[in-house]
Amino acid sequence: MIRVELPQELADDLVAEELAIRPGPRGSIAQILIVGATSTATAISLLQAPDTFVKLAGLIKKRFGKQQGVTLTVKGNRGSVSLDVTNETDVETLAKLIKEGLVGDLD
């Protein structure tokens, strides 16, 4: 599992989709920041299922893709990567960015 901190509404969606669980009270090791998100951050543990990153990217695009000025930044052990999220943003591109930022693996 990957411990990550991200906006509350995404955490709720991921837990509902059974792609994440709520961990005990320990610090997260990575962050998914979304400029333009309105809720506070929360910690979850992402399950490393084959489609987790694609589903997370789809949730981000669905929830934030229609808003203007939304930028996704992933800060993890591999550094930081950012991308503007628009309605035209490809879900696969978002998924690769998230995976690269969290685990450093683009395969």
Side-chain angles (χ1 to χ4, degrees), residues 27-104:
S28 62
I29 60 169
Q31 289 182 316
I32 295 177
L33 308 171
I34 300 179
V35 175
T38 56
S39 65
T40 59
T42 190
I44 60 167
S45 291
L46 282 176
L47 304 176
Q48 293 190 47
D51 59 348
T52 296
F53 296 110
V54 173
K55 285 193 175 183
L56 173 56
L59 290 170
I60 290 170
K61 182 175 177 180
K62 180 180 177 183
R63 190 173 285 277
F64 300 105
K66 294 179 182 167
Q67 298 176 21
Q68 291 193 349
V70 174
T71 301
L72 167 71
T73 301
V74 180
K75 295 181 179 182
N77 291 336
R78 308 297 287 187
S80 176
V81 289
S82 296
L83 180 73
D84 292 333
V85 180
T86 68
N87 208 29
E88 290 78 34
T89 302
D90 180 61
V91 170
E92 293 295 326
T93 301
L94 272 177
K96 285 181 180 181
L97 176 115
I98 294 165
K99 190 173 183 183
E100 176 186 356
L102 295 179
V103 298

